[in-house]
Amino acid sequence: IPNVLNNGSGSPSGVEAYEAKLLPSRIYGGIVHCEPGHNVVRVYLPQAEGAGFKAETVELIDGRGDPWFRPVDVATAPDGSLMIADWYDPGVGGHRQADIQRGRIYRVAPKGYEYRSESLDLKDVDAACRLLCSGNNSVRYAAWQSLAELGANAEEALTALSKNEDSRERARAFWLLTRLPTTGASHLQRASEDSDPRVRAASTRMTRNVDISTAQALLTQLVDDRSAQVRRAVAIALRRYHKEDFAPRLWARLAQQYDGNDRWYLEALGLATEFSWDRCLDAWFELAGDDAWRSRAGRMIVWRSRGTETLGRLSSLLSDAETPERELPQLLRALQFNSAATKREMLLAIAQDAGTLPPQRRRFIVTEVLRQISWSDSIAAGLNAVLQQHFRDLPRDEDFADLVMRFRQQTHYDELLTLALEPQPDDDRGIRLLRFLVQQDYVEVLQQHLASENPQAAALARMLAMTGERSALELIQPIVLDAEFDVETRRELVRALSTNESRAEWLMKQDEAGNLSQELQAALVFALRVGPWTALSQRINDLHPELVEQPSERLPVAQWMKMRGDAKRGKEIFSGKANCATCHKVGEAGKDVGPALTEIGSKLSHTGLYEAILYPSAAVSHNYETYVAVTNAGTAIKGVLISETEDTVTLKTEKASVHELRRDELEDFKKQTVSLMPDGLHKLISPEEMADLVAYLSQLKKMSPGS
């Protein structure tokens, strides 16, 4: 279903449809929304657009001046005023609550309007009808139950209500009237003829209150309604009647009125016929003609369809040079939603038929189709021919690499290594390619490239370390003791080898034998102290007591916080000395490991920023908790949990490297109490630089409208 409105970032909380009449009429029918992330309460005013909706935003309460204002829920009181629940806290999200003892409730009402309530006289039918129009959910529910119980005794009063000027009140009356066993059908007919298309649309949902023949008559009447809103509602109502003979015919008439652009309308057609695609498509072809599916509207219906013939028609559209190029990605995407028995053969045919298309179009189609084909001996010969021809045409890029790995084309592994070692703005691709090559037993070639005289050897060693593969660690182990390599590279390798218990044991023995330089010793001490190997951690502490950090005195944070920082210098510190950009993004810059900080100044106060920087493990942000996975081979991988299934877990390390691990390969997998973000930043930068960094982070706020 399309979005009515894209709200961007934030922490969405409670919503309420405001249907009282105490506040200004402009917000009547609007959706009141509490947004604690931005300290505001908004109202979204929906407007019809085609078969769907768009919305205008009005800010009801602007609390940006009070960083403790965290509105989380809203309700309409019986007198029509709004009650806003304020969480009252300097932070938002996850587990960063600073004050769990207090909260606030705000009441929004016209100035000077005193709160009032009244007793509910639900036994009086006229009073119950009036209360049915209340903006308060509880009052309205009580009135509904009372009127439903009265049944025919409430018909006269409800009929009068169904003629009110307010269409919402008319609709509420019709919902009760259509439940009446003897006269419900006549009231449903009146609802279907209402002047407001929203009431007519609601009448299609009221068909659940009547028998099938009455429902069929109403839907047949509204299938050609002048309002796309009503026709969308008819389509969704047809879903309930997908087994009935009349449903495909009515669906075909709705499909005939689709303009090819209205996504709301198209999705309603899809919802309507989820259980009967073949019957509905046949009815549409019979009504519209055999070539209707080649028009813009027809192509989009085929794209959305899941029928038996859909795959063949998608194939024809892809091979048709008249199909606009801009539509190719979505048509190719639709192939993934089809489960036809002949899908593998059909996909191969699409790739083969693309040979006559222009080069750019052919490369795009064949690449996307090959990504969806699964290997089978029955198509091996044809698939190999397509692959070899495609590799001759394909530039050596991400698409080429993906296909070589997907189909394990060994003759192109040397080219994968070349791609892995190319300078990249983000080296995660190179790590992914190297991980694949190691898994494919390509170690002999990699060993040749690790020779110290090779100018790319150091970069290759560092990237192999980041793969976490046992065979890769075996390859880089000798380099730790090779003085021909620079010290920083060898320190990085020490950190990587320390994630594997047997490699860490080897490092420990090298240190005990006096084979590690002082720089490597310091790296090993830190790596083993933060690692999961308890016995090794104790051994390194005993071996190097002079390098073990002693408990520090209480930090003079209060004095530091009084300093005025310079945001411009803070930006440089963020990207440089403090290494923040290695894990956090601001806009498009930085790595996506920890939470994005693009609007952190809107979420954390000055105090909260200092706390988050100096004590990162005190309150780990929700969804950014650190996990450690220990493989059966003894390798420990620490990172943020990206995804988790019954069979796999996927972690992203502090280097932004992604590791998908099979559960049957894991000896242990658990959540940590410490953050992936290291503490001790105050040892890397001065208090003055800390103030600069906080000044920079404080001004990272959501842009106000019109800014």
Side-chain angles (χ1 to χ4, degrees), residues 570-585:
K571 183 176 182 180
E572 296 175 357
I573 293 168
F574 180 90
S575 302
K577 195 172 182 180
N579 295 319
C580 304
T582 60
C583 285
H584 298 282
K585 296 189 75 171

Side-chain angles (χ1 to χ4, degrees), residues 549-615:
E549 178 185 305
Q550 300 302 317
S552 59
E553 298 180 0
R554 187 178 183 86
L555 299 176
V557 180
Q559 286 77 15
W560 294 354
M561 289 175 59
K562 295 176 183 178
M563 297 180 183
R564 291 176 62 97
D566 182 286
K568 186 175 181 180
R569 290 197 302 265
K571 183 176 182 180
E572 296 175 357
I573 293 168
F574 180 90
S575 302
K577 195 172 182 180
N579 295 319
C580 304
T582 60
C583 285
H584 298 282
K585 296 189 75 171
V586 172
E588 295 302 316
K591 293 285 186 72
D592 187 16
V593 179
L597 303 182
T598 307
E599 299 175 7
I600 191 65
S602 298
K603 298 180 180 180
L604 292 184
S605 62
H606 188 254
T607 302
L609 286 169
Y610 267 96
E611 179 189 348
I613 292 170
L614 294 171
Y615 308 107

Side-chain angles (χ1 to χ4, degrees), residues 45-311:
L45 306 179
Q47 306 161 33
E49 184 176 56
F53 301 90
K54 61 181 180 179
E56 174 189 355
T57 302
V58 174
E59 290 199 350
L60 187 65
I61 301 177
D62 182 353
R64 293 182 182 91
D66 178 5
W68 282 63
F69 178 58
R70 303 293 182 182
V72 290
D73 211 351
V74 54
T76 306
D79 73 339
S81 57
L82 276 175
M83 299 295 187
I84 309 294
D86 177 10
W87 180 11
Y88 191 68
D89 204 271
V92 61
H95 317 293
R96 197 177 284 276
Q97 293 95 327
D99 188 340
I100 61 173
Q101 301 299 324
R102 295 171 294 174
R104 303 184 287 198
I105 295 178
Y106 289 92
R107 175 173 175 262
V108 181
K111 187 175 182 180
Y113 185 83
E114 295 293 329
Y115 181 78
R116 63 193 68 179
S117 63
E118 60 178 315
S119 59
L120 305 183
D121 185 6
L122 297 174
K123 294 182 180 180
D124 182 90
V125 66
D126 292 324
C129 282
R130 179 175 58 80
L131 295 172
L132 185 64
C133 302
S134 171
N136 175 267
N137 291 322
S138 297
V139 170
R140 193 162 63 243
Y141 174 78
W144 169 279
Q145 294 291 1
S146 176
L147 291 166
E149 187 176 338
L150 285 169
N153 292 329
E155 183 173 13
E156 182 178 352
L158 285 171
T159 299
L161 181 61
S162 72
K163 298 175 182 177
N164 273 15
E165 289 186 4
D166 189 302
S167 57
R168 282 182 178 77
E169 296 175 1
R170 297 201 302 273
R172 288 177 189 167
F174 280 129
W175 268 107
L176 282 160
L177 288 167
T178 55
R179 290 160 54 96
L180 298 176
T182 56
T183 58
S186 63
H187 291 299
L188 181 62
Q189 182 61 34
R190 287 199 305 115
S192 72
E193 297 169 352
D194 195 275
S195 59
D196 191 326
R198 293 175 299 175
V199 177
R200 300 200 300 276
S203 75
T204 68
R205 298 188 285 279
M206 296 174 197
T207 55
R208 68 189 66 182
N209 294 337
V210 297
D211 58 57
I212 290 179
S213 61
T214 303
Q216 177 183 352
L218 180 132
L219 297 175
T220 302
Q221 170 191 327
L222 293 179
V223 76
D224 298 313
D225 193 278
R226 62 186 179 278
S227 168
Q229 294 270 328
V230 176
R231 298 197 302 276
R232 173 179 58 83
V234 171
I236 295 173
L238 283 176
R239 182 184 173 93
R240 292 198 300 274
Y241 305 107
H242 67 273
K243 294 182 180 180
E244 305 299 326
D245 291 339
F246 67 83
R249 296 194 302 273
L250 295 186
W251 186 89
R253 286 167 60 181
L254 290 170
Q256 272 292 87
Q257 299 173 76
Y258 172 53
D259 65 3
N261 297 304
D262 190 329
R263 183 66 181 273
W264 286 82
Y265 196 102
L266 180 61
E267 290 302 330
L269 291 175
L271 288 170
T273 189
E274 180 178 355
F275 307 109
S276 53
W277 271 112
D278 287 343
R279 293 170 61 220
C280 289
L281 288 174
D282 288 345
W284 176 47
F285 296 143
E286 182 179 346
L287 178 65
D290 290 339
D291 291 331
W293 60 279
R294 292 188 179 276
S295 67
R296 162 66 186 176
R299 292 195 300 271
M300 292 303 96
I301 291 175
V302 169
W303 167 78
R304 181 59 181 81
S305 70
R306 306 287 186 266
T308 304
E309 297 183 16
T310 294
L311 193 58

Side-chain angles (χ1 to χ4, degrees), residues 405-556:
M405 291 189 291
R406 178 175 176 77
F407 295 102
R408 290 176 168 77
Q409 298 290 296
Q410 297 181 21
T411 56
H412 296 283
Y413 284 179
D414 289 346
E415 293 170 278
L416 286 191
L417 179 58
T418 301
L419 281 173
L421 293 174
E422 285 181 355
Q424 299 294 328
D426 186 335
D427 58 8
D428 190 52
R429 183 182 83 168
I431 296 167
R432 181 169 61 92
L433 297 182
L434 286 175
R435 184 180 295 126
F436 170 81
L437 290 172
V438 170
Q439 291 171 347
Q440 298 303 305
D441 200 23
Y442 190 71
V443 292
E444 186 175 338
V445 178
L446 292 172
Q447 196 165 31
Q448 295 170 5
H449 279 72
L450 284 172
S452 57
E453 63 271 14
N454 186 337
Q456 293 179 309
L460 175 59
R462 288 194 297 271
M463 293 170 71
L464 282 170
M466 294 172 68
T467 66
E469 292 291 323
R470 184 174 183 176
S471 298
L473 297 181
E474 292 176 359
L475 283 171
I476 64 174
Q477 183 171 302
I479 298 175
V480 173
L481 304 179
D482 189 342
E484 295 295 322
F485 284 84
D486 66 275
V487 171
E488 191 49 51
T489 294
R490 290 188 287 150
R491 283 170 60 88
E492 188 68 35
L493 301 189
V494 166
R495 298 185 191 104
L497 290 170
S498 298
T499 64
N500 180 275
E501 189 170 17
S502 62
R503 307 298 154 195
E505 175 69 33
W506 177 83
L507 285 169
M508 189 73 228
K509 289 180 178 178
Q510 295 301 317
D511 192 15
E512 291 169 337
N515 295 332
L516 298 186
S517 66
Q518 187 174 354
E519 296 92 343
L520 298 184
Q521 288 173 354
L524 181 60
V525 168
F526 183 81
L528 292 183
R529 287 189 63 233
V530 300
W533 323 120
T534 306
L536 289 174
S537 178
Q538 185 59 50
R539 281 170 63 185
I540 201 72
N541 287 348
D542 295 341
L543 185 63
H544 295 291
E546 76 284 358
L547 295 178
V548 177
E549 178 185 305
Q550 300 302 317
S552 59
E553 298 180 0
R554 187 178 183 86
L555 299 176

